[in-house]
């Protein structure tokens, strides 16, 4: 199955010059969605993953499916100010200014093996901040998996010490 045919390019969204990779056609196809989740899980089977951490918001879609596939728990990594309980926060640089990701302070136990999930890796800023945050909680990062990598942005260099996997690569 050619999964890239289920990804729609939307030029100039959310702002001029960005080509947005829209995954909703893939989600609408039960076969494509299942195939994508299986391929994202591939290298991390039998790696002792006990929690899957999904990055808001499209990382929740794939992350929860992966958590169920692994029989693991799910941890939402959210944008600043969204989580109700006590949080840990990690900020990262944007093109203009900064943003932050947060998790609940009791989301992960010391030494727990966590798989990080998002739909797409671009500059890697969000993923690097999420890895740092989960490590501050004592997590061991079993890996990071993405459906799409925008390889020309070299985001994977931001998480050099993390076992890394993507299904679709755009050069
Ligand atoms: P980054 O921190 O630059 O790696 O950005 C990654 C986050 O932004 C992910 O949560 C993506 O869903 C989203 N994102 C960045 N660029 C795009 C794009 N061209 N199309 C769709 N989502 C994107």
């Amino acid at each position: 199955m050619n999964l890239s045919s289920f990804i729609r390019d939307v030029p100039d969204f959310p702002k001029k010059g960005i080509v947005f990779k829209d995954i909703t056609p893939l989600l609408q196809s039960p076969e494509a969605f299942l195939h994508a989740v299986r391929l994202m899980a591939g290298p991390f089977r039998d790696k002792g993953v006990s929690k899957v951490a999904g990055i808001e918001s499209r990382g929740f879609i794939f992350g929860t499916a992966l958590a169920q596939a692994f029989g693991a728990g799910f941890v939402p990594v959210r944008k600043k100010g969204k989580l109700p309980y006590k949080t840990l926060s990690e900020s990262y640089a944007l093109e203009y200014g900064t943003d932050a990701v947060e998790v609940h302070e009791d989301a992960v136990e010391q030494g727990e093996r966590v798989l990080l999930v998002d739909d797409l890796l671009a500059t890697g800023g969000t993923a690097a901040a999420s890895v740092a945050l989960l490590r501050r909680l004592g997590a061991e990062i079993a890996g990071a998996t993405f459906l799409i990598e925008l390889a020309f942005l070299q985001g994977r260099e931001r998480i050099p010490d993390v076992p890394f996997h993507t299904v679709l690569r755009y050069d």
Side-chain angles (χ1 to χ4, degrees):
M1 180 184 285
N2 178 15
L3 286 182
S4 61
S5 67
F6 291 89
I7 307 297
R8 174 165 52 203
D9 280 0
V10 183
D12 298 322
F13 183 87
K15 55 183 181 182
K16 209 165 171 54
I18 305 280
V19 179
F20 193 87
K21 298 288 184 191
D22 177 18
I23 58 160
T24 62
L26 181 139
L27 299 177
Q28 285 170 38
S29 159
E31 296 81 13
F33 188 17
L34 183 63
H35 191 53
V37 169
R38 284 189 176 146
L39 291 177
M40 288 172 80
F44 303 106
R45 296 186 198 280
D46 311 319
K47 291 286 188 282
V49 171
S50 60
K51 291 264 169 68
V52 173
I55 300 175
E56 184 173 356
S57 57
R58 289 178 299 277
F60 294 173
I61 298 168
F62 294 100
T64 49
L66 281 162
Q68 299 261 301
F70 285 133
F74 178 76
V75 172
V77 177
R78 299 213 61 179
K79 301 288 162 60
K80 200 177 173 61
K82 299 283 181 70
L83 285 168
Y85 185 58
K86 295 175 200 160
T87 56
L88 248 67
S89 184
E90 184 81 29
S91 34
Y92 58 98
L94 297 173
E95 198 177 349
Y96 303 102
T98 62
D99 209 341
V101 284
E102 296 185 338
V103 286
H104 276 152
E105 64 174 23
D106 60 356
V108 171
E109 289 179 25
Q110 194 71 32
E112 226 179 339
R113 290 181 59 77
V114 177
L115 177 66
L116 184 71
V117 178
D118 204 355
D119 67 325
L120 182 145
L121 183 80
T123 65
T126 319
S130 302
V131 166
L133 190 57
L134 292 162
R135 283 186 172 146
R136 277 167 57 203
L137 283 184
E140 213 184 294
I141 306 298
T145 191
F146 305 85
L147 179 65
I148 300 167
E149 176 186 15
L150 302 183
F152 55 90
L153 294 173
Q154 293 159 348
R156 65 164 77 193
E157 289 175 15
R158 302 283 301 275
I159 45 170
D161 50 352
V162 172
F164 176 89
H165 179 59
T166 58
V167 175
L168 299 170
R169 193 186 145 107
Y170 293 84
D171 292 300

